[in-house]
Amino acid sequence: MSRIDPAKKNERPVSDTLENASPVSSMDAEKKKWMEDNRAAFAAYDALVDRLGLFGEEYRNFE
């Protein structure tokens, strides 16, 4: 059995299957939702960094 056989079972060319799939757009939607769901956590982290700074910040070389 070749790797293309499962696509033949669906009676569609593999190229059509790949072209019609849109994993990027669904990932973009999931990423947007995740960012919206966690917006408050991002703001809290940013406020903490503003107040306390970053760990080891004094040892960074800012040339």
Side-chain angles (χ1 to χ4, degrees):
M1 175 186 261
S2 76
R3 291 170 29 172
I4 297 176
D5 285 343
K8 286 182 180 179
K9 187 168 58 172
N10 292 330
E11 305 272 333
R12 293 192 302 184
V14 174
S15 60
D16 287 349
T17 303
L18 294 175
E19 288 172 4
N20 293 330
S22 58
V24 174
S25 63
S26 66
M27 286 178 60
D28 289 343
E30 288 177 27
K31 181 180 174 182
K32 278 184 175 181
K33 181 180 179 336
W34 182 84
M35 290 182 72
E36 285 298 320
D37 290 347
N38 291 288
R39 187 170 302 282
F42 296 143
Y45 176 77
D46 289 342
L48 183 69
V49 169
D50 286 344
R51 188 166 46 96
L52 301 176
L54 294 172
F55 175 77
E57 191 171 31
E58 64 273 15
Y59 300 113
R60 291 182 63 185
N61 188 2
F62 294 105
E63 291 181 3

